[in-house]
Amino acid sequence: MAISHPEEPLVTSLELDPKPEVPAQLYLDLMKKILTRALIANGMERHTIQPRATKSNIINRLNNAVRSRGVEIVRLAPSSAEDYLESGHEATNRVEDAETMLGTRQLDHLQRCVVDVVEHGVPGDLLEAGVWRGGMTIFMRAVLAAYEVRDRNVWVVDSFAGLPPVDSQTETFGWKGGDMAVSLQSVKNNFMRYGLLDSQVKFLKGFFSDTLPSAPIERLAILRVDADLYSSTRDVLTNLYSRLSPGGYAIFDDYQNLLDCRRAIDEFRQEHGITEEIVPIDKRAVCWRKLR
């Protein structure tokens, strides 16, 4: 007598844009799916239970007691590849160890931007300010590798110690100093995992207000800002926007979902007469192409 088993949920593959047709695109398609972990979306994801309420505190204490025996209580959440299209800060239904919490729509867009500045000869390096585990900068380096670009660098700019002290007069979200901390060595290890840590990757460690005014960065073709705070976003724009080449892209991760970041960007645009159209990328991020 045959034993019947319940069918496992079908996990579909994401169709990314551009649709991969040549080896460089196939490589980048795979990179996008593994950096986000969309490639291994598994129907049900296991998530560490964080101590945030009475019940979870009890479970966390129990986990601390039994973890040395190789046992842990986790939370199960349904998941599919489609859950990786949009960005998910502290997403509760995605694989926990991904190098980026952003969605594949942002990675698709970043790929198109990098390829565009390379094909049109827009001068300058690629930079992200606020990198967390380094996923987007790893992908920047991957795009340069895929298209055999050897005359541009990727700048990985972060304190590597979390957010700076938070001024409650200008910040309203509830961040705390030290939030989002990932060490420099952890980020370097992530680059090494993909074979992409080389002389074209430049690290700039420290709070933006300290490092950016004298940063040895001449020209940028891509300026990506994921700074979380009003003050940090202003620091990046004040010190780096003038180095963005005409034809280059300014990309902002939190314009639609963090009002402090939006205010910093809107104020800077108004003060400097920036009128380029702001274009949404997904439900969080926006960009514009610098015209002059």
Side-chain angles (χ1 to χ4, degrees), residues 109-133:
H109 175 264
L110 181 61
Q111 178 181 345
R112 294 194 296 270
C113 289
V114 176
V115 171
D116 182 76
V117 299
V118 169
E119 290 182 345
H120 289 89
V122 177
D125 293 336
L126 321 179
L127 180 147
E128 183 177 40
V131 307
W132 195 48
R133 294 173 179 168

Side-chain angles (χ1 to χ4, degrees), residues 33-74:
K33 290 175 179 176
I34 195 60
L35 284 167
T36 59
R37 301 298 189 269
L39 185 70
I40 56 173
N42 198 32
M44 296 292 289
E45 294 301 339
R46 293 163 174 79
H47 266 247
T48 302
I49 297 174
Q50 302 294 338
R52 292 173 178 166
T54 301
K55 183 178 179 180
S56 59
N57 276 323
I58 293 171
I59 295 173
N60 188 64
R61 288 198 295 270
L62 180 58
N63 275 336
N64 289 337
V66 301
R67 194 170 285 118
S68 62
R69 302 182 182 181
V71 176
E72 182 179 13
I73 301 171
V74 298

Side-chain angles (χ1 to χ4, degrees), residues 34-249:
I34 195 60
L35 284 167
T36 59
R37 301 298 189 269
L39 185 70
I40 56 173
N42 198 32
M44 296 292 289
E45 294 301 339
R46 293 163 174 79
H47 266 247
T48 302
I49 297 174
Q50 302 294 338
R52 292 173 178 166
T54 301
K55 183 178 179 180
S56 59
N57 276 323
I58 293 171
I59 295 173
N60 188 64
R61 288 198 295 270
L62 180 58
N63 275 336
N64 289 337
V66 301
R67 194 170 285 118
S68 62
R69 302 182 182 181
V71 176
E72 182 179 13
I73 301 171
V74 298
R75 181 179 56 80
L76 293 177
S79 180
S80 70
E82 283 72 21
D83 292 316
Y84 294 78
L85 286 168
E86 290 285 340
S87 302
H89 178 67
E90 295 188 348
T92 57
N93 62 341
R94 287 168 55 162
V95 180
E96 289 182 299
D97 69 345
E99 286 83 18
T100 180
M101 65 180 72
L102 304 182
T104 56
R105 286 189 174 121
Q106 285 211 45
L107 287 152
D108 285 346
H109 175 264
L110 181 61
Q111 178 181 345
R112 294 194 296 270
C113 289
V114 176
V115 171
D116 182 76
V117 299
V118 169
E119 290 182 345
H120 289 89
V122 177
D125 293 336
L126 321 179
L127 180 147
E128 183 177 40
V131 307
W132 195 48
R133 294 173 179 168
M136 294 300 272
T137 47
I138 292 169
F139 187 66
M140 288 176 180
R141 182 66 190 92
V143 179
L144 296 184
Y147 289 91
E148 300 182 356
V149 178
R150 298 183 176 89
D151 58 351
R152 298 178 191 257
N153 295 319
V154 173
W155 287 89
V156 187
V157 181
D158 202 291
S159 71
F160 303 102
L163 298 178
V166 176
D167 182 354
S168 60
Q169 299 300 310
T170 58
E171 313 295 345
T172 63
F173 184 73
W175 294 113
K176 297 181 178 62
D179 282 352
M180 308 299 292
V182 178
S183 72
L184 174 58
Q185 189 58 53
S186 293
V187 175
K188 286 184 175 181
N189 288 346
N190 288 338
F191 269 89
M192 286 190 284
R193 179 180 298 173
Y194 294 94
L196 292 171
L197 184 64
D198 62 11
S199 61
Q200 284 180 251
V201 181
K202 309 294 184 183
F203 294 91
L204 188 62
K205 179 180 180 180
F207 294 135
F208 301 153
S209 58
D210 298 328
T211 61
L212 293 183
S214 59
I217 301 165
E218 295 182 4
R219 300 298 293 168
L220 294 171
I222 302 289
L223 171 61
R224 189 176 191 283
V225 185
D226 191 356
D228 297 321
L229 300 178
Y230 170 89
S231 59
S232 298
T233 302
R234 288 289 309 215
D235 287 335
V236 176
L237 287 170
T238 298
N239 290 287
L240 295 182
Y241 189 76
S242 62
R243 309 185 204 187
L244 182 64
S245 299
Y249 290 90

